[in-house]
Amino acid sequence: MKPKICYSIVNLKEFSFEDFPFDGYEFKAFGKGFKPNIIILTKIRETFNDKDLSLHSQLGRIFSCNERGFPEFSEAELDILKSEIIISKIIGVKQINFHMKETEFTNEEIKRFNEIISFANKNRIEMIYENHVCSEEVIFKVLKTFPKVNFCLDIGHLNIAIHKGKFKMKLEEFLDKVKPRLVHIHAHNNYGEKDEHNSLDNGNFDWKNVLNLLKNSKLRKIILENKTKEDTLETKKMLEEFYRLKNA
C-alpha cells in the first residue's frame, strides 16, 4: 500500500494548502509560527481540522543532559514532552516524533519515559522514535528498551551515519530488523557530510532502494523535510512517480 506523502511545515506564517498540497502535515514544535499559545493553537486546530497530523518534538536527544552534568534538566524535558502531548491532543495531532540519547538508559530514565508513553497513550498520541546520526546499535537499543514506541527512519541522518562509519550494518539486514515498527520516514538527501535537507535527487543516498525494501511493510507516512518549497515539491513529484510506476 502506498504511504501518505506528507510535508514538514517550515514556516506556519507562510504556509498555504495551495502551495503545499499533501496527504498530511507535520508541525515542528520549534518551527516558525508554532507557539504554545492557546489562541494560536485553536487557530491551527481550525485550519487543519480534517488533516492527518504529526508533531516533531522540540527536544534534542532526550536524557543526554544527565551525562552532560545537568540532570535537573531531564525534569524540564519530561515536562516539555507532556506539554507537547497536550498540545497535540488540542490541535488533532496523532503522532509525536522524538530523538533519544545514545548511551545506556538508567532504570530511572526507563521508568520516567515509560510514564511519558503511558501519558501519551491515555491521550491517544503515538510516540515514535527517530534516529539521529548514530549507529544501528543505538537504534536497536532504544527500540528494545521501549517496546511500545514505533520507529521513524530519517534517511538523511542515516546517510551521514553510513558515510562517517557510525552505521556499519548492511541496509537490507537493518531494515528487516526494524520493519515491524517502521511507520514513518523523514525524507531528504545529502552527500554524507552535512545534514543539508536537500531534495531526494540532490544527494548520494539510494532512497529508491529503501522504499523497494520496505514493500509490504507497515510504513504509513513519508514526511518531506526539505528546506525550500522548490525542493519539497520536486521530492513530492519524485515520490509520486516512484509509486505510480510501482503500481502500474
Side-chain angles (χ1 to χ4, degrees):
M1 185 176 70
K2 174 180 173 288
K4 291 184 177 181
I5 299 176
C6 306
Y7 169 55
S8 179
I9 300 173
V10 175
N11 187 343
L12 263 174
K13 292 182 177 180
E14 298 177 356
F15 170 83
S16 73
F17 293 116
E18 292 78 13
D19 287 339
F20 298 98
F22 283 82
D23 300 327
Y25 299 90
E26 181 160 284
F27 301 115
K28 295 180 183 291
F30 48 89
K32 294 179 181 178
F34 192 95
K35 296 181 180 179
N37 176 305
I38 195 62
I39 296 173
I40 292 174
L41 295 177
T42 52
K43 287 181 179 179
I44 292 172
R45 182 181 64 182
E46 292 168 3
T47 303
F48 292 86
N49 66 348
D50 59 344
K51 306 302 181 183
D52 192 335
L53 304 174
S54 59
L55 176 74
H56 192 306
S57 174
Q58 64 190 290
L59 296 173
R61 302 174 189 182
I62 297 167
F63 293 132
S64 63
C65 56
N66 291 335
E67 57 213 37
R68 292 175 182 269
F70 299 96
E72 64 275 16
F73 188 69
S74 65
E75 287 299 321
E77 287 183 320
L78 297 176
D79 287 341
I80 289 169
L81 272 176
K82 282 188 175 181
S83 298
E84 291 177 344
I85 291 166
I86 293 168
I87 287 169
S88 294
K89 183 179 181 181
I90 290 171
I91 63 179
V93 161
K94 299 302 182 185
Q95 307 99 28
I96 295 178
N97 290 313
F98 63 92
H99 296 284
M100 291 294 264
K101 71 171 189 175
E102 293 192 18
T103 55
E104 292 295 325
F105 296 99
T106 67
N107 289 335
E108 181 65 15
E109 288 169 348
I110 294 170
K111 174 179 174 290
R112 298 302 304 278
F113 197 75
N114 277 326
E115 290 171 356
I116 290 293
I117 296 169
S118 295
F119 182 73
N121 287 340
K122 288 178 183 177
N123 287 279
R124 298 184 179 181
I125 307 297
E126 179 182 6
M127 300 298 289
I128 303 176
Y129 162 66
E130 175 192 347
N131 61 298
H132 54 274
V133 179
C134 63
S135 69
E136 65 274 15
E137 285 88 357
V138 169
I139 297 169
F140 295 149
K141 178 195 65 187
V142 174
L143 294 177
K144 181 179 179 181
T145 305
F146 302 104
K148 293 183 179 179
V149 305
N150 279 322
F151 182 46
C152 171
L153 175 63
D154 188 302
I155 59 175
H157 296 167
L158 176 62
N159 192 44
I160 298 171
I162 291 171
H163 281 268
K164 291 188 177 296
K166 291 188 174 185
F167 189 100
K168 299 176 181 178
M169 180 177 280
K170 289 183 178 179
L171 195 54
E172 185 172 359
E173 182 182 356
F174 169 74
L175 291 174
D176 280 342
K177 288 180 178 293
V178 299
K179 187 183 293 186
R181 292 164 70 181
L182 201 165
V183 295
H184 287 183
I185 283 178
H186 276 170
H188 52 104
N189 212 335
N190 57 59
Y191 291 92
E193 295 297 326
K194 297 187 296 183
D195 196 16
E196 297 172 295
H197 286 261
N198 298 331
S199 59
L200 286 179
D201 62 342
N202 187 7
N204 55 18
F205 187 76
D206 189 356
W207 58 274
K208 291 182 180 179
N209 180 46
V210 168
L211 295 183
N212 281 324
L213 290 170
L214 290 175
K215 182 181 179 181
N216 300 322
S217 70
K218 296 180 180 180
L219 179 63
R220 302 196 304 255
K221 293 182 179 181
I222 301 176
I223 303 166
L224 279 54
E225 284 197 322
N226 306 119
K227 288 183 177 179
T228 68
K229 177 182 176 182
E230 292 74 21
D231 282 355
T232 299
L233 296 180
E234 182 62 27
T235 294
K236 178 176 184 274
K237 181 179 177 182
M238 286 185 286
L239 287 168
E240 288 176 338
E241 179 67 7
F242 172 84
Y243 282 105
R244 185 188 69 79
L245 292 175
K246 282 192 71 68
N247 296 327

PDB file of all heavy atoms in Angstrom, residues 67 101-105 109 138 141:
ATOM      1  N   GLU A  67      24.165  12.912  31.323  1.00  0.00           N
ATOM      2  CA  GLU A  67      25.590  12.622  31.207  1.00  0.00           C
ATOM      3  C   GLU A  67      26.417  13.870  30.916  1.00  0.00           C
ATOM      4  O   GLU A  67      27.647  13.823  30.974  1.00  0.00           O
ATOM      5  CB  GLU A  67      25.828  11.564  30.118  1.00  0.00           C
ATOM      6  CG  GLU A  67      25.296  11.938  28.767  1.00  0.00           C
ATOM      7  CD  GLU A  67      24.807  10.736  27.968  1.00  0.00           C
ATOM      8  OE1 GLU A  67      24.229   9.811  28.544  1.00  0.00           O
ATOM      9  OE2 GLU A  67      25.037  10.744  26.745  1.00  0.00           O
ATOM     10  N   LYS A 101      18.868   9.814  23.604  1.00  0.00           N
ATOM     11  CA  LYS A 101      20.311   9.791  23.790  1.00  0.00           C
ATOM     12  C   LYS A 101      20.912   8.480  23.264  1.00  0.00           C
ATOM     13  O   LYS A 101      20.200   7.511  23.017  1.00  0.00           O
ATOM     14  CB  LYS A 101      20.660   9.964  25.261  1.00  0.00           C
ATOM     15  CG  LYS A 101      20.335   8.761  26.148  1.00  0.00           C
ATOM     16  CD  LYS A 101      20.923   8.958  27.542  1.00  0.00           C
ATOM     17  CE  LYS A 101      20.804   7.696  28.385  1.00  0.00           C
ATOM     18  NZ  LYS A 101      21.478   7.830  29.680  1.00  0.00           N
ATOM     19  N   GLU A 102      22.240   8.456  23.108  1.00  0.00           N
ATOM     20  CA  GLU A 102      22.914   7.285  22.540  1.00  0.00           C
ATOM     21  C   GLU A 102      23.318   6.251  23.584  1.00  0.00           C
ATOM     22  O   GLU A 102      23.378   5.065  23.284  1.00  0.00           O
ATOM     23  CB  GLU A 102      24.173   7.722  21.775  1.00  0.00           C
ATOM     24  CG  GLU A 102      23.885   8.533  20.524  1.00  0.00           C
ATOM     25  CD  GLU A 102      25.112   8.692  19.647  1.00  0.00           C
ATOM     26  OE1 GLU A 102      26.075   7.910  19.815  1.00  0.00           O
ATOM     27  OE2 GLU A 102      25.113   9.593  18.797  1.00  0.00           O
ATOM     28  N   THR A 103      23.609   6.686  24.798  1.00  0.00           N
ATOM     29  CA  THR A 103      24.181   5.781  25.796  1.00  0.00           C
ATOM     30  C   THR A 103      23.093   4.955  26.490  1.00  0.00           C
ATOM     31  O   THR A 103      21.895   5.165  26.270  1.00  0.00           O
ATOM     32  CB  THR A 103      24.974   6.580  26.835  1.00  0.00           C
ATOM     33  OG1 THR A 103      24.114   7.592  27.384  1.00  0.00           O
ATOM     34  CG2 THR A 103      26.182   7.248  26.195  1.00  0.00           C
ATOM     35  N   GLU A 104      23.541   4.031  27.347  1.00  0.00           N
ATOM     36  CA  GLU A 104      22.610   3.157  28.053  1.00  0.00           C
ATOM     37  C   GLU A 104      21.662   3.958  28.945  1.00  0.00           C
ATOM     38  O   GLU A 104      22.051   4.975  29.523  1.00  0.00           O
ATOM     39  CB  GLU A 104      23.376   2.142  28.904  1.00  0.00           C
ATOM     40  CG  GLU A 104      24.155   1.111  28.097  1.00  0.00           C
ATOM     41  CD  GLU A 104      23.254   0.204  27.292  1.00  0.00           C
ATOM     42  OE1 GLU A 104      22.150  -0.119  27.781  1.00  0.00           O
ATOM     43  OE2 GLU A 104      23.648  -0.177  26.170  1.00  0.00           O
ATOM     44  N   PHE A 105      20.450   3.472  29.077  1.00  0.00           N
ATOM     45  CA  PHE A 105      19.464   4.130  29.925  1.00  0.00           C
ATOM     46  C   PHE A 105      19.557   3.591  31.352  1.00  0.00           C
ATOM     47  O   PHE A 105      19.758   2.393  31.563  1.00  0.00           O
ATOM     48  CB  PHE A 105      18.051   3.898  29.392  1.00  0.00           C
ATOM     49  CG  PHE A 105      17.805   4.506  28.044  1.00  0.00           C
ATOM     50  CD1 PHE A 105      17.874   3.729  26.897  1.00  0.00           C
ATOM     51  CD2 PHE A 105      17.504   5.850  27.920  1.00  0.00           C
ATOM     52  CE1 PHE A 105      17.649   4.286  25.654  1.00  0.00           C
ATOM     53  CE2 PHE A 105      17.283   6.417  26.683  1.00  0.00           C
ATOM     54  CZ  PHE A 105      17.361   5.634  25.540  1.00  0.00           C
ATOM     55  N   GLU A 109      15.550   6.435  34.217  1.00  0.00           N
ATOM     56  CA  GLU A 109      15.187   7.003  32.913  1.00  0.00           C
ATOM     57  C   GLU A 109      14.139   6.138  32.214  1.00  0.00           C
ATOM     58  O   GLU A 109      13.183   6.658  31.614  1.00  0.00           O
ATOM     59  CB  GLU A 109      16.440   7.138  32.040  1.00  0.00           C
ATOM     60  CG  GLU A 109      17.377   8.244  32.499  1.00  0.00           C
ATOM     61  CD  GLU A 109      18.726   8.203  31.808  1.00  0.00           C
ATOM     62  OE1 GLU A 109      19.044   7.192  31.127  1.00  0.00           O
ATOM     63  OE2 GLU A 109      19.484   9.194  31.945  1.00  0.00           O
ATOM     64  N   VAL A 138      22.573   1.853  18.486  1.00  0.00           N
ATOM     65  CA  VAL A 138      21.805   2.852  19.236  1.00  0.00           C
ATOM     66  C   VAL A 138      20.320   2.704  18.930  1.00  0.00           C
ATOM     67  O   VAL A 138      19.466   2.716  19.828  1.00  0.00           O
ATOM     68  CB  VAL A 138      22.288   4.274  18.894  1.00  0.00           C
ATOM     69  CG1 VAL A 138      21.330   5.325  19.460  1.00  0.00           C
ATOM     70  CG2 VAL A 138      23.689   4.506  19.435  1.00  0.00           C
ATOM     71  N   LYS A 141      18.904  -0.439  20.496  1.00  0.00           N
ATOM     72  CA  LYS A 141      18.824  -0.318  21.949  1.00  0.00           C
ATOM     73  C   LYS A 141      17.568   0.448  22.356  1.00  0.00           C
ATOM     74  O   LYS A 141      16.851   0.037  23.277  1.00  0.00           O
ATOM     75  CB  LYS A 141      20.067   0.383  22.483  1.00  0.00           C
ATOM     76  CG  LYS A 141      20.058   0.609  23.989  1.00  0.00           C
ATOM     77  CD  LYS A 141      21.111   1.621  24.403  1.00  0.00           C
ATOM     78  CE  LYS A 141      20.767   2.970  23.806  1.00  0.00           C
ATOM     79  NZ  LYS A 141      21.817   3.982  24.023  1.00  0.00           N
TER      80      LYS A 141
END
